[in-house]
Amino acid sequence: MAAPKPEEISHPAMDQLQGLEYCIDSNPSWGEAIALGFQHYILALGTAVMIPSFLVPLMGGDDGDKVRVVQTLLFIQGINTLLQTLFGTRLPTVIGGSYAFMVPIISIIHDSRLMKIEDNHVRFLDTMKAVQGALIVASSIQIVLGYSQIWAICSRYKFYLQINKQGIYITPYRFFSPLGMVPVISLVGFGLFDRGFPVVGKCVEIGIPMLILFVAFSQYLKNFHARQVPVLERFALLISVTVIWAYAHLLTASGAYRHRPDITQVNCRTDRANLISSAPWIKVPYPLQWGAPTFDAGHAFGMMAAVLVSLIESTGAYKAASRLASATIPPAHVLSRGIGWQGIGILLNGLFGTLTGSTVSIENVGLLGSTRVGSRRVIQISAGFMIFFSMLGKFGALFASIPFTIFAAAYCVLFGLVASVGLSFLQFTNMNSMRNLFIVGVALFLGLSVPEYFRGYTLKALHGPAHTKAGWFNDFLNTIFSSSPTVALFVAVFLDNTLEYKDSARDRGMPWWVKFRQFKGDSRNEEFYTLPFNLNRFFPPS
């Protein structure tokens, strides 16, 4: 077959995605922005409800305890989202709960000293205080790496020893490249595949219709306009969730699940969460509401692994969000600033007792692309909804009663969209290079395969592959290697910086990447990432 003529290749590499209606610093009308913010709030409910619903019963907590934890998590989600959009990266990202913290938290729950407590409520409180203490200590990792600019230095340079006739000296070399970051960003989405269709399959009668409806509204009917607004595309998630939620409630009320197995009822019914009846009308979360945190070195060390995983996953998510918000790639010091504020967020998680740490909500990043609205204001409005409804318990619990299967159907689309954004960085690299093909393929495969081995081993043996007498060591390794983006980062960056790296800068995409290393490297950075209230006078960009 003849090679295509040069003029037939009409897709040049582009810094910013095309076709987005609103970018990071442009805003829809206030009415549309409020509706979009509410849509982001509804999507954020999935993780905020799922994590406490799984962990609180293991700790001995009842439905009332579960509701308080959900309220507290949503409250801190809102505060952390505002802090990140105002003073952190300033990207339109929701900062939510993280599954990366599950391994060390479950390890704390099964601590023999806590399991011996016979009174369930006392055991719940003592376990909560132990988790709080571990989060408070572990948060220092991101705070130090962020505000000291160490993470920025890692993002900018690698230093290697070079030996020649003149002696031994240190040479700076680029550490992260577009090629090395592709598997990391892609697996931020692909690595969550187990929260997609495997969950949809637990209740196909509502999961499949939700998936079909969401795709139909957001893609096939996206040209339907009402008052010049593409209503079905812009609000596909909100409309789909409302329709399928009402359908699920109809099935529940009609007795369709009356004699079905418990697992089916949990995933399908709209009345199994017991959140509405247990929620207070008004409740304002406050620091140390569960009591004074307790501190244990082993617990804290295991939690540090989850903080490192959260840092790596968020790094990939920030880069994906920047592209879906039609912004430039965040400069190294902006990324480091965001990690510092995320550390503050994990500190708040520990002080308030949310039962998990913080990371970028991947599903909400995907929703930026689905709606084609990357406005920062929309995300700040969604943070307002999180704070407001977390204090009005009954109203917040009403929305939190949406079956998780509905969210999982939406994840099938949104996680895939984020993953494809990671793959889009390949346009800046030479994918006709066998070196590059090797690095991307091996990093993607191992990034999926290694965590799957760790998860499968844990399900069968009820403990991770790392199973020594040192619990903190087990938690550290099992947490690190259960994260797809983290494994991908280790593999991709190692191979990219050791395999024929000296003569491959152009193939790796470095000529395009280099201008985003410094804040002043691109004039657009000031538009996207400058701090509000003229704070750049006190915190000048580096």
Side-chain angles (χ1 to χ4, degrees):
M1 183 181 293
K5 298 178 180 178
E7 59 268 20
E8 293 177 353
I9 302 174
S10 56
H11 305 290
M14 307 185 81
D15 290 347
Q16 295 170 289
L17 287 175
Q18 303 299 298
L20 296 172
E21 292 290 331
Y22 298 97
C23 66
I24 186 171
D25 55 353
S26 62
N27 303 305
S29 66
W30 277 105
E32 192 176 347
I34 291 171
L36 286 165
F38 183 72
Q39 185 170 237
H40 274 277
Y41 159 73
I42 290 294
L43 184 60
L45 283 172
T47 300
V49 173
M50 191 64 180
I51 292 176
S53 295
F54 178 76
L55 293 177
V56 170
L58 294 180
M59 300 162 61
D62 57 21
D63 290 336
D65 296 322
K66 180 171 67 176
V67 167
R68 285 186 65 191
V69 175
V70 171
Q71 285 181 278
T72 304
L73 179 53
L74 280 172
F75 184 78
I76 297 302
Q77 265 187 211
I79 292 176
N80 286 340
T81 300
L82 284 178
L83 290 174
Q84 191 64 238
T85 54
L86 285 171
F87 308 116
T89 61
R90 307 217 68 215
L91 288 166
T93 50
V94 170
I95 307 300
S98 172
Y99 288 93
F101 292 81
M102 296 284 274
V103 172
I105 290 175
I106 291 174
S107 178
I108 294 173
I109 291 172
H110 290 126
D111 188 304
S112 58
R113 290 171 295 178
L114 296 169
M115 293 295 288
K116 290 177 181 178
I117 301 174
E118 295 182 0
D119 186 288
N120 282 340
H121 186 64
V122 174
R123 180 160 62 89
F124 167 78
L125 291 177
D126 285 0
T127 306
M128 174 64 80
K129 289 183 283 189
V131 172
Q132 286 183 263
L135 284 170
I136 290 171
V137 174
S139 67
S140 61
I141 296 292
Q142 286 194 13
I143 294 173
V144 171
L145 290 177
Y147 291 126
S148 68
Q149 293 292 305
I150 292 176
W151 192 239
I153 293 171
C154 291
S155 299
R156 287 192 187 118
Y157 296 109
K158 163 197 171 182
F159 295 95
Y160 67 90
L161 289 175
Q162 189 169 8
I163 304 173
N164 58 26
K165 294 180 180 179
Q166 284 74 37
I168 301 174
Y169 58 95
I170 297 176
T171 303
Y173 192 74
R174 303 298 179 188
F175 191 64
F176 292 161
S177 71
L179 182 76
M181 290 308 295
V182 163
V184 180
I185 301 171
S186 295
L187 290 185
V188 163
F190 285 145
L192 298 171
F193 69 89
D194 58 328
R195 272 164 249 160
F197 204 84
V199 180
V200 172
K202 294 179 180 179
C203 188
V204 292
E205 55 266 42
I206 63 174
I208 296 294
M210 174 64 195
L211 179 58
I212 293 173
L213 210 58
F214 185 41
V215 172
F217 285 159
S218 64
Q219 302 301 317
Y220 291 97
L221 301 176
K222 63 183 179 182
N223 293 322
F224 175 81
H225 285 66
R227 297 184 178 180
Q228 299 183 331
V229 175
V231 176
L232 294 182
E233 178 192 42
R234 197 68 49 83
F235 303 104
L237 180 75
L238 198 58
I239 297 170
S240 302
V241 167
T242 303
V243 172
I244 301 302
W245 187 21
Y247 170 60
H249 184 70
L250 181 65
L251 290 176
T252 301
S254 65
Y257 303 113
R258 192 168 298 157
H259 304 295
R260 302 290 294 276
D262 284 345
I263 189 170
T264 301
Q265 298 202 33
V266 167
N267 286 281
C268 298
R269 294 181 70 103
T270 58
D271 59 356
R272 286 302 291 255
N274 297 325
L275 294 176
I276 299 175
S277 59
S278 304
W281 282 102
I282 298 176
K283 179 71 176 180
V284 180
Y286 56 91
L288 308 182
Q289 59 186 336
W290 312 103
T294 58
F295 299 92
D296 180 275
H299 294 165
F301 195 84
M303 196 69 74
M304 287 178 184
V307 171
L308 288 172
V309 166
S310 168
L311 182 154
I312 293 168
E313 292 178 349
S314 294
T315 297
Y318 286 133
K319 293 181 186 295
S322 68
R323 210 151 157 71
L324 290 172
S326 198
T328 55
I329 300 301
H333 101 279
V334 171
L335 187 60
S336 199
R337 186 177 72 195
I339 293 301
W341 277 106
Q342 193 167 295
I344 296 293
I346 295 174
L347 177 61
L348 292 176
N349 289 133
L351 289 173
F352 279 77
T354 61
L355 209 53
T356 184
S358 293
T359 193
V360 177
S361 174
I362 307 303
E363 54 267 36
N364 289 90
V365 173
L367 191 58
L368 300 178
S370 176
T371 60
R372 295 192 296 141
V373 176
S375 168
R376 183 189 294 125
R377 177 184 291 175
V378 167
I379 299 302
Q380 291 171 337
I381 291 172
S382 76
F385 278 117
M386 293 175 204
I387 295 171
F388 179 74
F389 283 117
S390 68
M391 294 187 291
L392 296 181
K394 293 289 186 185
F395 292 100
L398 172 65
F399 299 120
S401 66
I402 301 171
F404 188 70
T405 306
I406 293 177
F407 292 110
Y411 293 168
C412 292
V413 176
L414 301 177
F415 290 161
L417 186 54
V418 174
S420 67
V421 171
L423 296 177
S424 75
F425 281 89
L426 290 174
Q427 68 183 301
F428 307 112
T429 68
N430 177 15
M431 289 313 292
N432 291 312
S433 162
M434 283 303 301
R435 171 194 181 275
N436 289 1
L437 290 173
F438 177 85
I439 292 171
V440 172
V442 171
L444 283 172
F445 185 84
L446 289 179
L448 287 170
S449 188
V450 172
E452 182 63 20
Y453 164 72
F454 270 72
R455 286 192 290 263
Y457 190 104
T458 303
L459 284 175
K460 290 181 180 179
L462 300 181
H463 60 76
H467 187 56
T468 68
K469 293 181 179 180
W472 57 269
F473 178 77
N474 301 336
D475 294 344
F476 195 90
L477 286 185
N478 291 329
T479 300
I480 291 290
F481 289 104
S482 293
S483 166
S484 290
T486 305
V487 174
L489 179 78
F490 292 159
V491 176
V493 172
F494 174 79
L495 293 175
D496 195 30
N497 287 277
T498 58
L499 189 62
E500 302 173 5
Y501 60 88
K502 289 185 180 179
D503 302 317
S504 59
R506 185 172 295 278
D507 286 351
R508 300 167 71 204
M510 297 311 298
W512 170 79
W513 190 263
V514 68
K515 63 183 176 181
F516 301 116
R517 296 295 182 179
Q518 302 289 339
F519 188 81
K520 296 181 180 179
D522 192 299
S523 59
R524 295 169 293 179
N525 289 337
E526 186 170 352
E527 174 188 354
F528 300 136
Y529 300 114
T530 299
L531 290 172
F533 315 122
N534 208 17
L535 288 175
N536 270 39
R537 292 181 305 167
F538 308 103
F539 306 99
S542 57

